[in-house]
Amino acid sequence: MKMIYQTHAIRSVEDFKHQKGLSNILVDFVDPLGDITTKDFARYRKIIKIGEKEARKHLPEFVALAETQRKLGIQYEHKMIEEVKLPTTKFTYNEEDGTPLTDTAEIEVIKKQMGLAEGKYYDVKTVNEAIDRVFGMRQYVKVYYTYTNTGDALTMNIFVKRAKKGAFKLALHYDTEQSVGIIVNYTYRNIILNRSRFLATVDISERFKARLAYQQFLDSGERLWLDLEAKMIHLKSNDLNFRLYDVGNESSSDNFPNHMYRNITGKIALNYNISPNVVISWEQNSVQKECTVCWIR
């Protein structure tokens, strides 16, 4: 990093000498900015104040230069650049290479996530938030847009690059109650039908856990979805009575139980998303439970 700074400093000195020879007025910031480095972005307020202070010292020279330009007939009209507010009358949906998307269901999902309508003007902030929502679906590794000016309106071109259908994830975890372990997850999207995913998760630990799930959206609005799930878990009992007995028992000759539960669960659920954080669900469960009691001295 220091080498990069030094290289940048050498080039800056060379450029400064060149620009100095071409300048009528030179505002030298070398000494005033002596304790500022190229990485001090957080000190921008101080830097701006130093710049304003040093520029005011040369104000008479700027005024004299402006008067000289007027005498020579050089005039500048400063106009504010007005934002051109044109409505977006058309949206196109494309692969990254420009190939139009053909899956109507996928296009409808993107439309719904963006929430933009034809014939309206949208500022940059609104458009960027819409693109962020599409990217947040995690089905694409890249989402961006361009505009085509058609004269009195704009055409918005959305480009997407799909993520890989299958992905492995690995994580370490430590739980003071349920031991340390390694979580391995495999997720595969659109394995049977579009807008679906298959998940397989295994917790490789002293108390083994595994989960298989298949989830499928049933409507174009991505509100109604089916969840098929099978799960097996081994858990240590959290029974408070046994814990109190263990803490209060001073006799090492007594035994106390350490319950280990193995649950095998199957579930079919029909869910409806009212909002991103509110879901109505109907579930049908099948549970097989086994309990192993280990007596520990």
Side-chain angles (χ1 to χ4, degrees):
M1 189 61 71
K2 291 183 178 179
M3 183 64 69
I4 295 175
Y5 289 150
Q6 291 174 358
T7 304
H8 176 73
I10 293 172
R11 295 298 302 271
S12 298
V13 171
E14 294 177 353
D15 183 66
F16 173 78
K17 293 178 180 179
H18 175 70
Q19 296 296 333
K20 183 178 180 179
L22 300 175
S23 302
N24 297 99
I25 303 172
L26 174 65
V27 182
D28 192 347
F29 296 104
V30 175
D31 291 333
L33 295 176
D35 62 335
I36 304 294
T37 69
T38 53
K39 61 180 180 179
D40 289 331
F41 296 103
R43 304 173 67 183
Y44 66 92
R45 289 189 177 89
K46 180 179 179 180
I47 296 171
I48 292 173
K49 287 182 179 179
I50 292 174
E52 292 175 346
K53 180 181 178 181
E54 294 301 315
R56 286 193 179 95
K57 293 179 180 179
H58 297 269
L59 187 58
E61 297 176 62
F62 286 119
V63 172
L65 180 61
E67 291 296 333
T68 302
Q69 289 180 331
R70 289 193 187 96
K71 291 178 182 179
L72 295 174
I74 302 173
Q75 295 183 358
Y76 297 96
E77 294 183 6
H78 299 282
K79 295 181 179 180
M80 295 294 293
I81 299 176
E82 296 183 1
E83 182 181 4
V84 179
K85 297 183 178 181
L86 296 177
T88 302
T89 57
K90 183 180 179 181
F91 295 87
T92 66
Y93 305 90
N94 314 274
E95 304 276 3
E96 186 183 22
D97 60 2
T99 305
L101 298 181
T102 57
D103 188 341
T104 55
E106 182 180 12
I107 293 174
E108 287 300 318
V109 171
I110 295 176
K111 284 183 178 180
K112 181 174 178 58
Q113 290 296 329
M114 292 182 63
L116 305 181
E118 295 178 352
K120 294 185 178 181
Y121 161 76
Y122 295 101
D123 58 21
V124 174
K125 182 175 182 295
T126 302
V127 174
N128 287 342
E129 288 175 349
I131 294 298
D132 287 343
R133 287 193 294 271
V134 177
F135 185 74
M137 297 166 58
R138 298 186 179 181
Q139 296 188 22
Y140 307 106
V141 295
K142 184 187 293 184
V143 182
Y144 65 96
Y145 65 95
T146 63
Y147 276 109
T148 302
N149 192 328
T150 58
D152 57 350
L154 298 174
T155 297
M156 184 177 180
N157 311 294
I158 298 96
F159 298 87
V160 298
K161 180 180 180 181
R162 293 187 182 88
K164 294 181 179 179
K165 289 188 174 182
F168 274 104
K169 296 179 182 179
L170 182 70
L172 298 174
H173 79 89
Y174 175 73
D175 187 333
T176 56
E177 293 294 327
Q178 304 297 342
S179 79
V180 66
I182 301 174
I183 298 177
V184 181
N185 172 267
Y186 180 72
T187 301
Y188 194 93
R189 299 181 184 275
N190 302 329
I191 187 171
I192 298 177
L193 300 172
N194 285 336
R195 299 183 302 122
S196 67
R197 68 176 181 176
F198 169 78
L199 302 98
T201 305
V202 177
D203 184 357
I204 306 171
S205 65
E206 180 183 350
R207 301 176 181 92
F208 178 83
K209 307 176 188 70
R211 174 175 173 256
L212 296 175
Y214 177 79
Q215 299 166 345
Q216 171 72 56
F217 281 109
L218 303 177
D219 66 333
S220 59
E222 293 198 335
R223 289 185 177 273
L224 185 65
W225 53 287
L226 178 68
D227 183 18
L228 307 177
E229 185 175 307
K231 181 167 60 176
M232 180 175 69
I233 59 175
H234 289 76
L235 294 176
K236 180 181 177 181
S237 172
N238 287 320
D239 194 303
L240 182 60
N241 292 326
F242 293 132
R243 298 201 171 202
L244 291 176
Y245 177 81
D246 179 28
V247 172
N249 181 28
E250 298 180 356
S251 174
S252 60
S253 61
D254 290 345
N255 295 328
F256 65 91
N258 182 19
H259 286 268
M260 297 294 294
Y261 292 101
R262 183 178 71 179
N263 287 1
I264 301 176
T265 306
K267 182 181 75 172
I268 300 175
L270 192 62
N271 308 285
Y272 186 82
N273 297 333
I274 298 177
S275 72
N277 298 317
V278 180
V279 179
I280 297 176
S281 180
W282 174 86
E283 296 183 3
Q284 180 66 39
N285 293 281
S286 176
V287 180
Q288 177 183 345
K289 179 181 291 187
E290 295 181 8
C291 177
T292 303
V293 180
C294 303
W295 292 90
I296 301 176
R297 184 177 297 276

